[in-house]
Amino acid sequence: MRPQPKKPIEARGKVLGGPRPLVCVPLVGKTRREILGEAGNIPAIAPDIIELRVDAWEFVEETPASVSMIRDVRKTVGKIPVILTCRGHWEGGFKKVSDEAKFSLYREAAAGDLVDFLDMELAYGDEKIRGTLRMLENSSVSLIISSHDFEKTPPKEVLFSTLTAQIRAGAHVAKLAAMPRSEEDVLALLSATLLVRRKYPDIPLITMSMGGIGAVSRVTGGLFGSDLTFAVGSKASAPGQIPVADLKQCLSVLYPQ
């Protein structure tokens, strides 16, 4: 039995924190046509959850157009849960997006019950995070507080403290990704994940070591307490993601049902 959180999150019939890590496919198209094309493929590849990377959208600064796009994606993918992510450009986002556009879209999507998770960087600080949590109080939407390092993997103690800071800030889900420069870095990421799972056993975690060296973490991370892994649908959103069919096959061996 893998180490699971005591308080898993259920979204549209999927359980984040259940016996098997969820498989998430990011949609990274830039235009309406590209986005709807990716969404149209989702029923066939059947991920557990999808991530809308709106920081890739050409029209992301136009809130009404972005909300309309999310509605269209929701209709296309049906009951598959959706993570709404507007990744900050300082943490690997596709481009710079204004905070006004980002959080306006977050408010509209949450209020309309169009998505199931919002992803927000720890770097925004406690005040901004508290405001977002207040916004979500009367909704079914959960907040992922995240941190990403595309240059390196900090020491295990720093990884641990970062995840701890996310949890203490009020995260419903804590997320951390780092780029390894050695095999030891991958082990540090997995070790930190397990330490956090043991010390903070309640909420779901999402962790990954990126790049080719870190690809193993996308398969085995669940054994150390990570509750979701990202796979390639049409196009990867981060280095080291594995094609969804291959990843599902690997997970079926490690987490038989």
Side-chain angles (χ1 to χ4, degrees):
M1 177 72 70
R2 74 181 199 89
Q4 299 171 222
K6 292 181 179 179
K7 297 179 180 179
I9 297 174
E10 183 174 352
R12 302 180 198 264
K14 297 293 184 179
V15 179
L16 181 64
R20 179 186 292 191
L22 297 186
V23 174
C24 180
V25 167
L27 275 59
V28 296
K30 298 178 181 179
T31 66
R32 285 187 58 86
R33 182 176 180 178
E34 289 174 352
I35 298 158
L36 288 175
E38 288 185 60
N41 290 331
I42 290 299
I45 61 179
D48 298 306
I49 188 167
I50 65 170
E51 180 186 39
L52 279 180
R53 283 293 300 270
V54 300
D55 51 293
W57 293 2
E58 292 181 348
F59 48 89
V60 66
E61 296 284 349
E62 305 168 25
T63 299
S66 295
V67 172
S68 176
M69 185 76 262
I70 296 172
R71 290 186 189 279
D72 289 345
V73 171
R74 166 53 66 201
K75 292 176 184 177
T76 303
V77 303
K79 294 183 178 180
I80 295 177
V82 174
I83 300 171
L84 183 59
T85 299
C86 187
R87 177 68 59 237
H89 65 283
W90 66 92
E91 286 193 20
F94 289 102
K95 65 181 179 182
K96 188 174 182 179
V97 179
S98 69
D99 284 354
E100 180 181 0
K102 175 174 180 170
F103 289 102
S104 176
L105 180 56
Y106 277 16
R107 284 192 298 272
E108 294 292 330
D113 193 34
L114 299 177
V115 301
D116 305 281
F117 300 88
L118 299 180
D119 185 305
M120 179 180 182
E121 296 84 354
L122 179 66
Y124 274 103
D126 288 343
E127 183 176 352
K128 190 73 171 178
I129 290 171
R130 284 196 297 269
T132 303
L133 287 167
R134 286 194 296 270
M135 177 188 77
L136 297 179
E137 281 179 355
N138 296 317
S139 78
S140 61
V141 179
S142 300
L143 182 64
I144 301 170
I145 299 181
S146 60
S147 301
H148 307 79
D149 191 329
F150 280 79
E151 298 298 324
K152 65 185 184 307
T153 297
K156 180 174 69 175
E157 294 76 16
V158 176
L159 298 172
F160 177 86
S161 65
T162 299
L163 287 164
T164 297
Q166 294 168 0
I167 294 168
R168 291 178 175 171
H172 301 132
V173 183
K175 180 190 175 193
L176 186 149
M179 181 66 72
R181 297 301 178 190
S182 67
E183 289 79 4
E184 286 80 3
D185 284 345
V186 180
L187 294 176
L189 184 284
L190 294 173
S191 180
T193 302
L194 185 58
L195 286 171
V196 173
R197 165 55 63 237
R198 295 269 167 79
K199 187 171 178 62
Y200 300 95
D202 286 343
I203 76 168
L205 304 174
I206 302 171
T207 67
M208 67 217 70
S209 188
M210 295 184 284
I213 297 174
V216 65
S217 71
R218 299 181 183 277
V219 176
T220 63
L223 300 176
F224 297 83
S226 183
D227 297 300
L228 182 146
T229 184
F230 289 85
V232 176
S234 299
K235 184 178 178 181
S237 63
Q241 290 176 358
I242 300 169
V244 62
D246 295 339
L247 183 57
K248 282 185 174 183
Q249 186 173 6
C250 293
L251 296 183
S252 68
V253 175
L254 289 179
Y255 315 98
Q257 292 183 334

